[in-house]
Amino acid sequence: MALVQCPVCNKRISSKAGKCPHCNSANDDNGSSLRIGHLKRSQRLMNQSFLAMTLFIAGVVVMFWGGEEPEGMRLNAGAVLLTLGFVGYLITRVQIVLHKRKSV
Ligand SMILES: [Zn+2]
């Protein structure tokens, strides 16, 4: 008996269990629903990193568009976007690495 991760609630369940005891979602025997859950999570992480990149680029645009020194609201908005994008991207990269390691 092997322990696998429930694709819905991410708790550890037996691969032989017909459904997850925690959230009652179906878990078919050959584990294909778990693989689909894994793929969905990969897709979500890719979307997340894309979103973070977009925020970062938006921050760069707000800060440096037009070549004048940013000040006041523009500086604040740009700094927030840059920071969110950068931190979000780093976190997503770490999640992707951990996720890939888990799938082997
Ligand atoms: Zn579950």
Side-chain angles (χ1 to χ4, degrees):
M1 176 182 107
L3 281 181
V4 294
Q5 213 172 28
C6 170
V8 178
C9 66
N10 283 331
K11 289 195 171 112
R12 299 220 155 248
I13 58 173
S14 160
S15 59
K16 293 272 193 289
K19 45 167 74 172
C20 171
H22 306 287
C23 65
N24 265 336
S25 70
N27 170 37
D28 53 61
D29 241 2
N30 58 22
S32 72
S33 67
L34 290 166
R35 271 199 300 280
I36 290 167
H38 189 84
L39 280 175
K40 276 188 183 154
R41 182 152 166 76
S42 299
Q43 192 64 50
R44 203 156 53 224
L45 286 172
M46 290 313 287
N47 289 341
Q48 205 176 309
S49 74
F50 182 75
L51 187 74
M53 283 287 279
T54 308
L55 277 180
F56 185 77
I57 291 166
V60 171
V61 169
V62 169
M63 290 277 269
F64 303 112
W65 199 260
E68 18 172 319
E69 284 286 301
E71 47 183 56
M73 278 293 287
R74 200 156 73 95
L75 180 63
N76 287 337
V80 167
L81 285 173
L82 271 179
T83 311
L84 277 181
F86 187 68
V87 172
Y89 188 72
L90 282 184
I91 291 172
T92 308
R93 290 311 303 179
V94 170
Q95 283 180 317
I96 288 173
V97 168
L98 292 177
H99 182 65
K100 281 192 175 146
R101 194 173 295 166
K102 214 185 298 171
S103 72
V104 177

